[in-house]
Amino acid sequence: MAKAVRAEPEPELEVPVPVRGPERGPIKLRVNGEKHELWVEPRRTLLDALRDDLGLTGAKKGCDEGTCGTCTVLLDGKPIYACLRLAIECEGHEITTIEGLAQGGELHPVQRAFIEEDALQCGFCTPGQILSVKALLDENPNPTEEDVRRAVSGNLCRCGAYPHIVRAALRAAKGLAERPGR
Amino acid sequence: MAKVVKVQTEFEGRFYEETIVVEGTEVEPWAPEQPLKLVGRPVPRVDGPEKVTGRARFTHDVRLPGMLHGKILRSPHPHARIKRLDTSKAERLPGVRLVLSHQNAPEIPWFRGQTRLFDTTVRYVGDEVACVVADDEETAEEALRLIEVEYEPLPFVVDPERALEPDAPRVHESQPNNLVNGEPEVYERGDVQQGFAEADVVVEGVFRTQTALHNCLETHGSVAHWDGDSLTIWDSTQHVFGVRFQLARALGLPLHKVRVIKRHMGGGFGSKNQAGKYAAIAALAARMTGRPVKIVLDRFEENLATGNRPATIQTLKLGAKRDGTLTAIFHKSILNAGAYAVWAPSASGPTKRLYACPNVRTEDWAVFTNLGPFSAFRAPGYVEGTFALESMMDELAKALGLDPLELRLKNYAEIDPITNKPYTTKGLRQAYERGAQLIGWAERAHTKRARSKGPKRVGFGLASQIWGGSGGPPAYALVKLNPDGTATVVTGTQDIGTGTRTALAQIAAEALSFPLDAVEVELGDTQWGVYAPLSAGSMTLATVGPAVRAAAEDAKKQLLDVAAQLLELPKEGLRVEDGHIATPKGERLPVAEVLRPLGNFQIVGKGARGPNPDDKNVNTFGAQFAQVEVDVETGEVRVEKIVAVHESGRVVNPLTIRSQLYGGVIMGLGYALLERRLDDPRRGLPVTPTLETYKVLTVADVPEIVAEMVDLPDPEANPIGAKGVGEPPIIPTAAAIANAVADALGVRVYELPLSPDRVLAALRGAQAKKDEEEGEEGEAS
Ligand code: FES
Ligand code: FES
């Protein structure tokens, strides 16, 4: 649980930790490079804050308990399950959602590769898959198939797009590597 | 002109007599050798950009101003009467706007009157008791805990064999024997007794299959919104027109006052074939509160109350001549239907139809129990039945000393054994051949020897499949041509993730001779769309595709009429080519330019799905091969490779069809190895209702899969020559794997999933039998 909800400030602290909640209060989030101020209860998950308060519905709620990966977003570039984080925990961090990936109307190479390899069917798991792949490629531009499998193993796909997802990730890696200026 | 006819239709592997309306728009089928520009090409999904950017709007994503959220209170008992229900505390919680229950909701019959929207008797853990509607989900959830219910527990039954005993508790008062429809469904041809008497070899086995859960990643849910006396529902459904029909009836509304929308959905797999109670509850609550209401099930509810692939117990007996010719088949299947059922899948479908055998008797016993009701699940009945039948065929091959493939070819059905009609196309022989080649069937003995080391045993197996997938009338489409040379295809079907939008765009663009990007497909909306049936039974493309093509051909004909008059040229010499009007003089004029004098107007082409041939059977076929490695010390089964070769007529899009093949195989793989709902029989309680406890495959579990189509355009089936492919690839997967495991071990596992404990038990059983036999031999000597 978040440390900020402690009921009483600990005595040795000179400056008391501000008590927040259970009522709604203000929190500040940075999402896709933009600042947002929200007025929510401390129990609000990051996923609900994104979907319901900010209208960023690209991250999906497949389980709300950390077992499916459809809610995957990037926190400081690392993939996390947004349903397992409280929004207040994410203050001061940079959050990237699927809506923040395409730049100036240009799809991100991972997004393009997902279309070209048909790495999706219903598309419900797709935003999460793409963000997991993006995080991998940011860290390891030259992944093996095994690396890809590990990177998306926390993202279920009930439609079974897995073989195409792996191919899309490898295709995107290749495309990124061949990009001028890299 | 519309004609009303009585036909035999096939849906989800079952035959029905139906009265349907057929409006034949005669269109010449595309001939198999006819060169096509867009149909048959690996066109990327037209809604890909929406889906990869998060713009694709699912029912979960619908947010309306002032929207309230509903949460459903569900029964904790497998069978009970509600003695007292007090919602007053919940109603007093700030933020709660309404609590619905049997006390204030209208009595709406559900499951053909087997229960009501809110019944006073609950018949499974998860049955709907009440619904709280509040400002947000958290408040609604809190209020659920404040509802006081006093239940009088009733005797319950969860084991279908127990339910069939005369003194078993009754799930429904009105159904003394607990049988869905009151009796088993029996099919018979020839004389089975005679057939077994003629057999040189008889093999018999009892197979058990588990309850499997759909676990669509988008859980079931609806958003309801009233505008005056008109209701709009966003629903995660495989059938917008069906939900409209069901809700209009439930709420007593005329059809034109109900609009159902489903733009994108996160999986259905059969569980979203019909309207759920949540949709009706949302609609009622929205009317009573005057605000939009959203009800989205959580994962737990999803796995209790939205259906499952029901467990079966199947007894199968095959008789054959020494050369392998089948003389008789008997198949009895007991299916655990759960608490409510308006139909039942039949596990005996493949038994009746896959092989030519003169003497067949099947019995399907669908049994009510106090568990969550089943629903269709990707090839309902056929997955389970094929596991039993194809396992037994391998046992027969073993008993006869025949190659499993040879045995299947020996009993190849050249005509449909039920109807005695020939097939329009049947590419099963090609599928066997190609599959055998891709897996290395002929060299498998060598591979097994070379690859089996220490405790690891390698094995190979195969299984075949037959399915419907013909589609049929009624279905309609419009193609609207705009003066700028673009076109909109409108139909009331839906894309459930299979790529319907893309395939229909290809078909329309092909028929119009327009570029693909000049065509937009609008579906999933009853208000815009013209009628189309549900997306299930692998029938969407073969049903709606021909209607779209007919509408496009009609629009093209009108376009040429108009162009001929505008250009003052004889119509006969004009053609449409890639969005241009081509004249006999070799000119190519853009459609927009030709139509310019007419200003703002539209050409509307209309199309309908014509009838299926009545002198032939339209079916889909496939063969799958598996290579596995089994560890005889741990019992672990590792699938190394699956080869899937299917025939579903013409391939419209090789890229998206491969996705469907992979998807079906992977779902079948999970079913074969891992997936099972566990129930606590003492409490009637499913104990694996989360994705933590109910395992579906991850990317790490997926082996090499080789998936191919036998591309066999089927011009007799319908004018586009395509049949369905959504279900076929899941059908033979578990059977092929089970056969490969039996091949690796020399003993068979008769129960799914093929879990390590069962593998080890089968090995121990075989060892014990061997010891016993050796002991007896010792005594005798
Ligand atoms: S919704 Fe977060 S992991 Fe499923
Ligand atoms: S594409 Fe449907 S769940 Fe992955």
Side-chain angles (χ1 to χ4, degrees):
Chain A
M1 269 300 133
K3 5 182 197 346
V5 271
R6 258 178 302 200
E8 275 177 341
E10 287 180 24
E12 65 268 30
L13 286 179
E14 272 172 36
V15 190
V17 172
V19 177
R20 297 167 71 177
E23 273 75 45
R24 288 170 188 242
I27 68 163
K28 290 197 181 82
L29 289 180
R30 258 185 88 83
V31 184
N32 302 328
E34 277 180 37
K35 284 194 206 124
H36 297 274
E37 187 156 333
L38 280 60
W39 189 254
V40 298
E41 291 176 34
R43 65 174 169 179
R44 195 91 172 147
T45 63
L46 175 61
L47 181 60
D48 285 343
L50 291 172
R51 288 178 55 81
D52 296 342
D53 298 307
L54 298 179
L56 296 169
T57 54
K60 305 295 180 211
K61 191 191 276 189
C63 69
D64 211 19
E65 53 192 11
T67 56
C68 75
T70 57
C71 61
T72 303
V73 299
L74 305 183
L75 188 79
D76 300 330
K78 299 263 180 300
I80 59 153
Y81 289 164
C83 70
L84 292 187
R85 293 294 169 115
L86 295 177
I88 52 171
E89 287 180 282
C90 302
E91 287 192 310
H93 296 277
E94 181 63 46
I95 297 152
T96 309
T97 71
I98 192 72
E99 289 89 349
L101 225 53
Q103 291 298 332
E106 270 272 303
L107 293 182
H108 187 275
V110 177
Q111 293 173 312
R112 271 209 317 274
F114 265 64
I115 296 174
E116 286 157 359
E117 294 288 353
D118 202 41
L120 55 103
Q121 287 200 49
C122 74
F124 198 78
C125 71
T126 310
Q129 307 275 7
I130 288 176
L131 288 170
S132 289
V133 171
K134 176 183 189 289
L136 167 74
L137 299 188
D138 285 347
E139 200 166 297
N140 175 4
N142 213 345
T144 62
E145 185 173 329
E146 216 25 62
D147 296 332
V148 172
R149 282 175 179 255
R150 198 167 322 115
V152 293
S153 63
N155 295 84
L156 293 182
C157 175
R158 194 52 165 157
C159 299
Y162 299 131
H164 281 170
I165 291 169
V166 173
R167 276 165 62 163
L170 295 173
R171 182 189 189 118
K174 221 167 136 229
L176 278 169
E178 282 164 8
R179 244 195 190 176
R182 252 196 93 108
Chain B
M1 197 194 79
K3 255 199 320 202
V4 175
V5 289
K6 275 204 177 7
V7 290
Q8 249 222 344
T9 56
E10 188 188 344
F11 175 63
E12 300 283 31
R14 318 213 62 175
F15 292 96
Y16 298 89
E17 285 288 336
E18 272 186 345
T19 308
I20 57 166
V21 55
V22 188
E23 205 176 329
T25 326
E26 286 309 315
V27 178
E28 219 14 65
W30 284 320
E33 60 287 342
Q34 189 172 334
L36 300 175
K37 282 209 167 97
L38 288 164
V39 166
R41 288 251 326 278
V43 171
R45 227 166 260 267
V46 295
D47 49 10
E50 275 175 85
K51 286 179 174 175
V52 301
T53 51
R55 274 189 290 119
R57 206 179 189 214
F58 296 75
T59 302
H60 278 198
D61 304 334
V62 174
R63 300 155 66 238
L64 301 174
M67 187 171 81
L68 301 173
H69 298 262
K71 279 273 155 201
I72 295 171
L73 181 71
R74 295 176 181 277
S75 166
H77 297 284
H79 200 187
R81 201 164 295 132
I82 298 172
K83 278 169 60 184
R84 194 178 64 87
L85 180 74
D86 186 350
T87 58
S88 54
K89 282 199 190 117
E91 276 156 18
R92 282 201 299 272
L93 187 75
V96 171
R97 304 293 160 187
L98 174 73
V99 183
L100 264 175
S101 71
H102 71 265
Q103 292 168 339
N104 56 350
E107 279 199 14
I108 296 173
W110 214 261
F111 288 110
R112 297 229 177 104
Q114 287 164 21
T115 183
R116 297 194 296 271
L117 191 62
F118 294 107
D119 205 340
T120 47
T121 301
V122 286
R123 296 179 187 83
Y124 73 95
V125 173
D127 221 346
E128 289 80 356
V129 172
C131 177
V132 173
V133 178
D135 290 350
D136 54 43
E137 268 186 284
E138 289 94 334
T139 309
E141 253 161 44
E142 244 175 86
L144 285 186
R145 280 176 246 136
L146 300 175
I147 299 177
E148 290 168 13
V149 196
E150 201 180 310
Y151 295 97
E152 176 195 336
L154 299 172
F156 67 92
V157 60
V158 295
D159 176 347
E161 286 178 306
R162 167 74 187 116
L164 286 173
E165 288 169 9
D167 64 335
R170 282 186 200 179
V171 179
H172 296 280
E173 268 319 306
S174 57
Q175 204 58 271
N177 58 8
N178 283 328
L179 276 174
V180 176
N181 301 325
E183 54 184 16
E185 192 185 312
V186 177
Y187 166 85
E188 190 149 22
R189 70 170 178 259
D191 182 338
V192 182
Q193 258 178 346
Q194 178 76 24
F196 281 117
E198 285 166 14
D200 295 320
V201 175
V202 173
V203 290
E204 188 171 0
V206 178
F207 297 85
R208 286 169 188 270
T209 64
Q210 74 277 40
T211 310
L213 299 171
H214 300 74
N215 269 312
C216 316
L217 285 190
E218 185 185 37
T219 56
H220 289 56
S222 303
V223 181
H225 170 63
W226 289 84
D227 191 350
D229 58 354
S230 293
L231 169 67
T232 301
I233 292 254
W234 287 260
D235 195 42
S236 186
T237 181
Q238 294 171 241
H239 195 194
V240 288
F241 271 94
V243 171
R244 182 178 84 142
F245 198 76
Q246 236 180 306
L247 287 185
R249 188 177 281 182
L251 303 172
L253 294 169
L255 288 169
H256 71 304
K257 291 288 180 191
V258 183
R259 175 181 187 184
V260 180
I261 304 173
K262 192 235 42 151
R263 211 167 151 70
H264 293 286
M265 79 189 283
F269 312 114
S271 68
K272 295 173 180 171
N273 281 358
Q274 59 287 310
K277 280 189 181 178
Y278 51 85
I281 297 171
L284 280 176
R287 186 157 65 185
M288 290 164 81
T289 56
R291 289 165 68 174
V293 171
K294 180 176 193 172
I295 301 181
V296 163
L297 270 53
D298 64 27
R299 182 58 50 191
F300 194 87
E301 299 177 276
E302 180 80 4
N303 280 343
L304 290 183
T306 63
N308 55 69
R309 183 187 297 283
T312 66
I313 306 164
Q314 302 177 54
T315 308
L316 198 67
K317 193 172 159 185
L318 305 181
K321 291 286 191 197
R322 205 160 303 287
D323 69 354
T325 309
L326 286 168
T327 58
I329 311 180
F330 172 75
H331 188 173
K332 176 181 174 180
S333 161
I334 296 173
L335 176 143
N336 192 342
Y340 307 108
V342 298
W343 66 289
S346 140
S348 63
T351 306
K352 294 172 198 159
R353 315 166 70 186
L354 188 50
Y355 296 111
C357 175
N359 309 301
V360 176
R361 180 183 166 89
T362 65
E363 296 174 15
D364 284 286
W365 299 63
V367 186
F368 284 123
T369 61
N370 294 106
L371 287 168
F374 81 93
S375 67
F377 191 164
R378 210 168 188 170
Y382 274 53
V383 173
E384 302 87 317
T386 299
F387 163 65
L389 176 65
E390 288 291 78
S391 295
M392 215 65 250
M393 283 295 277
D394 265 31
E395 289 301 303
L396 180 63
K398 196 170 153 188
L400 291 165
L402 288 175
D403 182 294
L405 181 51
E406 198 185 319
L407 177 66
R408 284 164 174 89
L409 289 169
K410 182 93 203 163
N411 294 288
Y412 197 83
E414 299 290 354
I415 57 169
D416 184 84
I418 303 179
T419 63
N420 290 319
K421 292 177 193 170
Y423 302 104
T424 50
T425 54
K426 177 169 179 174
L428 182 56
R429 213 181 283 279
Q430 294 93 308
Y432 282 140
E433 245 167 56
R434 180 71 180 139
Q437 195 186 355
L438 287 167
I439 198 87
W441 188 253
E443 309 83 63
R444 70 189 190 284
H446 171 77
T447 315
K448 276 170 68 173
R449 266 195 311 276
R451 295 278 326 280
S452 298
K453 277 193 211 81
K456 313 271 196 202
R457 306 277 187 280
V458 170
F460 288 81
L462 88 99
S464 346
Q465 77 87 14
I466 182 169
W467 182 247
S470 67
Y476 307 93
L478 301 177
V479 169
K480 304 191 284 188
L481 288 194
N482 299 309
D484 64 352
T486 61
T488 309
V489 178
V490 180
T491 168
T493 187
Q494 46 276 308
D495 190 333
I496 60 172
T498 53
T500 302
R501 267 190 196 93
T502 310
L504 295 182
Q506 286 174 268
I507 289 167
E510 182 78 51
L512 287 168
S513 314
F514 273 27
L516 189 66
D517 59 11
V519 175
E520 185 81 25
V521 178
E522 280 299 336
L523 33 80
D525 187 337
T526 58
Q527 208 73 350
W528 274 52
V530 281
Y531 177 83
L534 75 171
S535 292
S538 306
M539 66 177 189
T540 307
L541 181 59
T543 295
V544 185
V548 166
R549 186 179 159 211
E553 301 280 4
D554 182 28
K556 179 157 88 172
K557 194 145 40 102
Q558 295 182 47
L559 171 64
L560 287 173
D561 271 342
V562 170
Q565 294 170 59
L566 289 171
L567 298 172
E568 295 176 2
L569 286 169
K571 164 170 109 185
E572 290 65 38
L574 297 184
R575 283 181 311 120
V576 186
E577 267 179 26
D578 199 31
H580 292 69
I581 304 290
T583 72
K585 282 181 282 174
E587 281 170 303
R588 287 178 97 239
L589 309 162
V591 168
E593 199 175 294
V594 176
L595 296 182
R596 185 160 303 132
L598 298 179
N600 198 357
F601 85 114
Q602 201 164 50
I603 289 172
V604 182
K606 231 186 113 194
R609 170 63 152 90
N612 285 326
D614 40 39
D615 53 344
K616 294 222 170 153
N617 253 64
V618 183
N619 286 93
T620 57
F621 300 90
Q624 288 189 13
F625 294 75
Q627 179 182 335
V628 303
E629 182 194 81
V630 190
D631 187 317
V632 294
E633 285 173 2
T634 63
E636 199 190 331
V637 176
R638 210 171 62 81
V639 175
E640 298 187 318
K641 184 174 180 175
I642 300 269
V643 169
V645 186
H646 288 264
E647 188 260 305
S648 288
R650 180 192 297 283
V651 173
V652 172
N653 188 329
L655 179 63
T656 53
I657 215 169
R658 196 169 61 217
S659 290
Q660 277 186 291
L661 292 176
Y662 282 155
V665 168
I666 289 168
M667 208 175 233
L669 196 71
Y671 177 71
L673 298 182
L674 217 53
E675 295 187 27
R676 71 176 122 172
R677 187 189 74 189
L678 289 174
D679 307 313
D680 177 349
R682 289 158 309 164
R683 296 196 296 149
L685 179 73
V687 295
T688 53
T690 64
L691 284 166
E692 182 79 49
T693 49
Y694 182 95
K695 299 291 183 192
V696 309
L697 294 193
T698 72
V699 68
D701 305 307
V702 176
E704 180 189 357
I705 303 171
V706 181
E708 281 190 9
M709 294 302 295
V710 179
D711 192 349
L712 211 59
D714 189 346
E716 285 180 289
N718 60 62
I720 63 165
K723 298 178 286 195
V725 79
E727 282 149 309
I730 196 179
I731 294 175
T733 307
I737 295 170
N739 284 341
V741 169
D743 180 51
L745 299 177
V747 298
R748 179 165 297 277
V749 181
Y750 285 86
E751 190 167 359
L752 291 178
L754 306 162
S755 51
D757 54 325
R758 292 190 179 135
V759 168
L760 293 177
L763 284 168
R764 272 198 307 274
Q767 188 58 43
K769 209 167 135 207
K770 209 166 126 204
D771 292 348
E772 204 176 289
E773 280 165 12
E774 277 167 12
E776 275 168 21
E777 269 168 40
E779 278 160 35
S781 58

